Amino acid sequence: MKRYLLFGLVLMTLNSFGQIVYKKKLSMLGSPFEITVIAKDSAQGIVFADKAIAEVKRIENLISDWIPTTQISQVNKNAGIKPIKVDDEVFSLVERAIKISKLTNGAFDISYASMDKIWKFDGSMKEMPTPEAIKKSVEKIGYQKIILNDANKTIFLQEEGMKLGLGGIGQGYIADKIKALLQKDGCESGIVNVSGDINTWGKNIDGKPWNIGIINPMNKNKVFATFPLIDSAVETSGSYEKFVQFNGIRYSHIIDPRTGYPATGIVSVSVFAKQTEIADALATGIFVLGIDVGLDLVNQLKGIQCIIVDDKGKIHSSKGIDLKKYNLN
């Protein structure tokens, strides 16, 4: 997660009951951030938006691995040296991340930050890294080497050079926390969008469910599908902007932390769940696991659905999604 940079755009619309849709767009965590709420007036909308922004900053200053003073940065700094005591909130998030790692057999792993950056997705790569370099790049990765002490609330990384990076679950966690905070403070309806990690509650100003558009992975200027989201979340992971291609094979920027090789065969994974945190982590894991294994996993999980688009543009979905019901382009 990156340091935050703020700039904003505010939009408002009014309904016949005197309520407004208050929307604020900014750049935070180095990515787009958008909060939309139904409020009685602009003053209330501003209060809700400001609380959401403050919550992003609060959590970032706990879990970012880019800011040297955060608790996660201190855990990383002391890898192989000593355990670091952290807040219950940070401890619980890492604990849940490890559970997702176990569920996906390591396809999702917050120790991915230990990986040597041998793959470049900025157009500068002219040939693949050697098998030896790829193998070496993931030597320090392994959620099994993250040692949690529940009694003392400490986190210890067993090997020097290990690092935790919560970007693959942290943005979803932030979206969930903002939703819970605003609901507690009386905001009855809204959408929070943290760089594509989307969570909704209540209904739109017209009384209908919030409709969410998913970008077409084969044409990022078009919406691939629209879905109603009722008090639930969606997260889409895509490789349509960051990838390299060698010998006719497209290599995604999402790298398998177990092997060091980029995921192949998939360009987009959208996961639907009650919590954005879970959708966020599972989307990465499914991308790495691949179509068949990923769908098999989702079909065993209660309350989770997903849509996968492969590199040929073919759509694959879990058993609970009827694609005929939605606007597919």
Side-chain angles (χ1 to χ4, degrees), residues 157-173:
L157 306 183
Q158 281 187 320
E159 293 186 17
E160 186 178 351
M162 280 188 72
K163 293 180 181 178
L164 301 184
L166 293 171
I169 194 171
Q171 291 179 333
Y173 173 68

Side-chain angles (χ1 to χ4, degrees), residues 148-200:
L148 303 183
N149 185 310
D150 188 59
N152 298 325
K153 292 295 185 288
T154 61
I155 302 174
F156 177 56
L157 306 183
Q158 281 187 320
E159 293 186 17
E160 186 178 351
M162 280 188 72
K163 293 180 181 178
L164 301 184
L166 293 171
I169 194 171
Q171 291 179 333
Y173 173 68
I174 288 172
D176 291 340
K177 291 292 286 185
I178 288 173
K179 174 180 175 178
L181 174 67
L182 294 188
Q183 284 182 311
K184 182 181 178 182
D185 287 347
C187 181
E188 296 180 355
S189 185
I191 303 178
V192 57
N193 182 347
V194 185
S195 188
D197 291 76
I198 299 171
N199 205 336
T200 71

Side-chain angles (χ1 to χ4, degrees), residues 23-94:
K23 181 182 296 186
K24 192 165 187 178
K25 297 181 180 180
L26 310 93
S27 176
M28 303 187 76
L29 309 172
S31 302
F33 171 84
E34 184 175 314
I35 180 71
T36 303
V37 295
I38 305 298
K40 63 183 181 181
D41 51 35
S42 60
Q44 188 182 55
I46 290 169
V47 169
F48 287 149
D50 286 350
K51 286 184 176 182
I53 292 166
E55 185 71 348
V56 176
K57 296 178 184 178
R58 183 190 72 80
I59 297 172
E60 186 183 29
N61 280 294
L62 284 175
I63 68 173
S64 171
D65 59 315
W66 288 78
I67 301 173
T69 55
T70 69
Q71 293 179 12
I72 289 297
S73 289
Q74 291 306 304
V75 170
N76 291 345
K77 183 179 178 181
N78 287 279
I81 301 172
K82 64 178 181 180
I84 296 297
K85 186 174 178 59
V86 298
D87 291 355
D88 286 355
E89 181 177 7
V90 176
F91 186 90
S92 295
L93 179 59
V94 171

Side-chain angles (χ1 to χ4, degrees), residues 135-152:
K135 183 179 179 180
K136 186 177 184 301
S137 72
V138 294
E139 282 182 346
K140 295 187 183 299
I141 294 177
Y143 67 91
Q144 303 91 339
K145 297 181 283 188
I146 305 170
I147 308 303
L148 303 183
N149 185 310
D150 188 59
N152 298 325

